[in-house]
Amino acid sequence: MKKKLIYNPTYLILSLIAVNIISYFLFIRIDLTSNKKYSLSPVSKTMIKKIDKDISVTLFMSEGLTPDKIKLGREFRHLLKEYKTISNKAFTISTIIPNNSDKEALAEQLGIEPMAQEIAERDMVKIQKVYFGAVIQIGNKKETINILPTTALEYEVTRRLKEACDTTKPTIGFLRGHNEMLRQKTQLIEHELSHSAKIESMRIDQFTDLNDYKVICIVGPKESFSKEELVRLGQYLEQGGRLYIALNHAVGQISYSQNNGFINRVGIEDMLEEFGLKINYDFVVDNYCGRILVTQDQGFLQLQSDRHFPYIPIIQNFSSHVITKGLNAMLLQFASSITNVKTTSAYTFTPLAKSSSISGVQKVPVFFDIYKTWTRKHDFNQPYNTVAALLNNEDNNSAIVVITDADFMEDKFFDPFYISNINFAVNSIEWLADDSGLIKLRNKYIENQSLKVVSDSYRRFLKYTNFFLPIVLVLLIGLYQYREYKRKRLRRSQPGHID
């Protein structure tokens, strides 16, 4: 006779209580995402273990936040708990709800900026002031994070841990002396870089030691480099130097008096070609492009209309390199194509960004026809033109990032492509300057996960499978249970049977 198991609900309740007590002290979760979005990266684990000071994080979250902010706050707390489980020092996490004037004043005093949030109340829309941010204190040093939907939380926390570990920051030099782009036009890029590096203007002269700079940025020079300057840059690279080069190689002029494009050579192109990177004498044109305003005279009136302008390509094809991870689209203001040429140099060529499948190039000289009818056969017949590339030399650890446009780096708050433009520049320079791998975290949370394109037949197969498969499974389960029920009845009808 088989012994029946007796289930006591008391044991189940006690087990649940024990699991909750253990989970309170030991935070564990399983991350099944492809990019390990909910797990700490190795660089974060290394940084938190290096900290020899107590850490405290105070999260400010107003009442009545939108669901997306509440979810983000919950994920931030989970992330902090993972840091806490690895930390060798005291790591405290607290939350303050700014629901009175004193707590709101405290939040603003610590650098948490109030945000305006729309709320629906009795068929009316009201504007509510809310606070959403965190204050991280490492030892006696405090830093503030204003949390937005696009904030890379792990990057922001780990960056502050790195700053607490590293007593010295690398120096990034912005080259001057060739009529480069004014630094006032790239203030937001420099602000982002200033968190992890010192930013300086510099020149190539007898008083400057180029080896003092981890990265030298050459942005939009208009005047030529001398032979001596190119020799100095070559020596800098031989000793492991790193360059970020953004050239306005293709220059467009659109006005009432001029309507043409030309090439601006500054001499650095010859050095790059020796390393295997050739910048061509052309303008990249793309069917997926920006728009320009065109003024037309209509009698006594002047009317403005916007038209597609293929000479301003929108770049969406990015490599799998960490520099371009998470980027969606960049808008370039005139660009030339880049090709890899064979040389005896030890540099390896890696494309970073390319034009679309419906694109081409226009050889110089170029004359802009605003009202031109563009065709794929004659104009967009050379797809996937490289506009940004990386040269890497593993022998001496030098590297060069090149993009054939510099104007894309300008501060443009109302440009819909502004974030990706800035991220490409910041990612490139930080990757060149950083050896810790911190840059890998910048776009970890905003990586674009696009659906794979499938054929119509496969789509129909998935459609009908999703519809009929549950029905078939229910019928099979019902048939199985029916047969089991009949077997039990048959066994019970036999003499001497005991359950």
Side-chain angles (χ1 to χ4, degrees):
M1 181 176 179
K2 291 184 179 180
K3 213 173 186 181
K4 286 188 178 180
L5 292 175
I6 301 175
Y7 296 96
N8 192 330
T10 305
Y11 296 148
L12 178 60
I13 294 172
L14 291 175
S15 299
L16 291 174
I17 293 173
V19 169
N20 277 275
I21 293 173
I22 294 172
S23 63
Y24 178 81
F25 295 99
L26 183 63
F27 179 78
I28 299 174
R29 62 176 176 175
I30 300 173
D31 187 357
L32 300 178
T33 57
S34 60
N35 61 343
K36 298 301 177 185
K37 177 179 178 179
Y38 302 107
S39 302
L40 284 185
S41 302
V43 60
S44 298
K45 295 178 181 179
T46 301
M47 291 300 172
I48 189 64
K49 290 177 182 178
K50 285 183 180 180
I51 298 294
D52 58 354
K53 302 172 184 176
D54 292 343
I55 303 172
S56 67
V57 182
T58 305
L59 182 62
F60 287 81
M61 290 185 65
S62 295
E63 294 177 328
L65 290 175
T66 55
D68 60 324
K69 292 187 178 70
I70 294 174
K71 179 182 178 182
L72 192 60
R74 183 169 60 250
E75 289 302 325
F76 188 41
R77 277 192 286 261
H78 289 165
L79 181 70
L80 294 174
K81 287 180 180 179
E82 291 206 32
Y83 281 102
K84 182 177 180 178
T85 58
I86 301 173
S87 176
N88 297 321
K89 293 291 182 178
F91 195 116
T92 58
I93 306 168
S94 58
T95 302
I96 294 178
I97 302 175
N99 52 7
N100 57 48
S101 57
D102 292 337
K103 292 180 180 178
E104 290 179 355
L106 175 62
E108 294 183 18
Q109 181 183 350
L110 293 172
I112 307 259
E113 299 175 358
M115 296 184 293
Q117 176 179 279
E118 292 185 355
I119 56 170
E121 188 176 294
R122 294 182 180 179
D123 298 330
M124 295 178 63
V125 176
K126 293 184 178 180
I127 303 298
Q128 178 186 16
K129 183 173 71 172
V130 296
Y131 296 85
F132 189 29
V135 177
I136 300 177
Q137 181 169 346
I138 305 173
N140 296 323
K141 185 179 179 181
K142 289 183 179 179
E143 288 208 37
T144 301
I145 302 175
N146 285 288
I147 301 176
L148 299 172
T150 56
T151 301
L153 297 174
E154 185 179 350
Y155 170 80
E156 294 295 338
V157 175
T158 302
R159 177 172 64 79
R160 285 156 175 80
L161 296 176
K162 184 177 185 295
E163 291 175 5
C165 294
D166 299 340
T167 56
T168 59
K169 292 182 177 181
T171 304
I172 296 174
F174 278 77
L175 188 63
R176 308 254 66 96
H178 310 85
N179 199 7
E180 286 87 357
M181 180 183 292
L182 297 176
R183 287 181 59 185
Q184 290 84 343
K185 293 184 177 181
T186 58
Q187 288 184 354
L188 287 178
I189 289 178
E190 294 193 21
H191 174 72
E192 287 293 319
L193 295 172
S194 65
H195 295 308
S196 55
K198 292 188 295 184
I199 311 298
E200 295 180 359
S201 294
M202 48 86 66
R203 293 175 179 267
I204 304 176
D205 54 31
Q206 58 181 339
F207 306 106
T208 304
D209 185 359
L210 301 187
N211 294 323
D212 291 340
Y213 298 92
K214 183 69 174 180
V215 182
I216 296 177
C217 301
I218 304 173
V219 181
K222 296 178 182 177
E223 299 174 3
S224 297
F225 286 71
S226 67
K227 291 183 179 179
E228 292 76 12
E229 289 174 325
L230 295 176
V231 169
R232 289 281 304 276
L233 287 175
Q235 293 171 346
Y236 168 72
L237 290 169
E238 288 177 1
Q239 298 177 34
R242 299 190 157 205
L243 297 178
Y244 171 78
I245 302 175
L247 297 177
N248 281 329
H249 185 71
V251 180
Q253 295 179 322
I254 303 176
S255 63
Y256 288 107
S257 58
Q258 293 180 329
N259 208 16
N260 66 310
F262 62 92
I263 297 298
N264 178 42
R265 277 184 54 84
V266 294
I268 205 168
E269 299 89 348
D270 297 331
M271 181 186 74
L272 294 174
E273 190 167 348
E274 291 178 3
F275 296 150
L277 186 152
K278 182 180 180 181
I279 303 178
N280 299 307
Y281 286 57
D282 57 28
F283 280 65
V284 173
V285 291
D286 201 313
N287 185 57
Y288 189 43
C289 58
R291 305 175 73 91
I292 60 171
L293 284 175
V294 178
T295 302
Q296 295 176 290
D297 292 327
Q298 297 288 339
F300 297 102
L301 299 176
Q302 283 189 336
L303 301 178
Q304 284 189 332
S305 62
D306 61 335
R307 296 183 64 88
H308 283 87
F309 195 57
Y311 294 96
I312 307 179
I314 295 175
I315 306 300
Q316 287 186 304
N317 294 317
F318 300 102
S319 69
S320 59
H321 197 275
V322 64
I323 289 175
T324 54
K325 182 180 179 182
L327 298 184
N328 294 319
M330 289 196 307
L331 178 69
L332 303 185
Q333 302 177 43
F334 305 110
S336 293
S337 64
I338 294 173
T339 52
N340 181 211
V341 293
K342 291 184 178 181
T343 64
T344 58
S345 170
Y347 283 90
T348 57
F349 178 92
T350 304
L352 294 177
K354 295 183 178 182
S355 60
S356 74
S357 59
I358 309 177
S359 63
V361 295
Q362 297 275 314
K363 299 293 183 180
V364 291
V366 171
F367 299 94
F368 302 130
D369 181 1
I370 306 299
Y371 303 101
K372 177 179 178 178
T373 300
W374 296 80
T375 64
R376 186 164 187 169
K377 181 178 180 180
H378 296 99
D379 303 305
F380 303 130
N381 54 6
Q382 185 176 320
Y384 304 117
N385 299 284
T386 301
V387 293
L390 166 67
L391 289 172
N392 198 15
N393 188 339
E394 294 183 357
D395 293 344
N396 56 24
N397 200 35
S398 63
I400 310 171
V401 173
V402 181
I403 183 167
T404 57
D405 179 37
D407 294 330
F408 86 103
M409 294 175 59
E410 292 186 18
D411 298 340
K412 295 178 180 177
F413 300 95
F414 303 106
D415 188 339
F417 301 97
Y418 171 73
I419 293 177
S420 288
N421 284 7
I422 296 303
N423 279 345
F424 177 85
V426 174
N427 289 356
S428 299
I429 300 170
E430 281 196 346
W431 181 84
L432 292 168
D434 181 40
D435 297 325
S436 67
L438 181 63
I439 181 61
K440 295 179 181 179
L441 307 181
R442 172 177 283 276
N443 296 319
K444 180 179 178 180
Y445 292 87
I446 60 173
E447 183 176 4
N448 185 26
Q449 300 286 349
S450 57
L451 294 176
K452 184 179 179 181
V453 178
V454 297
S455 63
D456 292 338
S457 58
Y458 186 63
R459 191 180 296 112
R460 285 194 297 271
F461 169 75
L462 292 177
K463 174 183 175 181
Y464 290 117
T465 300
N466 288 335
F467 180 79
F468 288 110
L469 184 59
I471 298 174
V472 173
L473 289 176
V474 170
L475 292 175
L476 290 175
I477 293 172
L479 179 61
Y480 173 78
Q481 290 181 338
Y482 174 72
R483 292 184 63 183
E484 286 296 312
Y485 176 72
K486 286 188 67 175
R487 286 180 182 178
K488 284 183 180 180
R489 289 193 60 185
L490 182 61
R491 286 198 301 267
R492 288 172 182 171
S493 65
Q494 294 178 358
H497 175 75
I498 299 177
D499 283 331

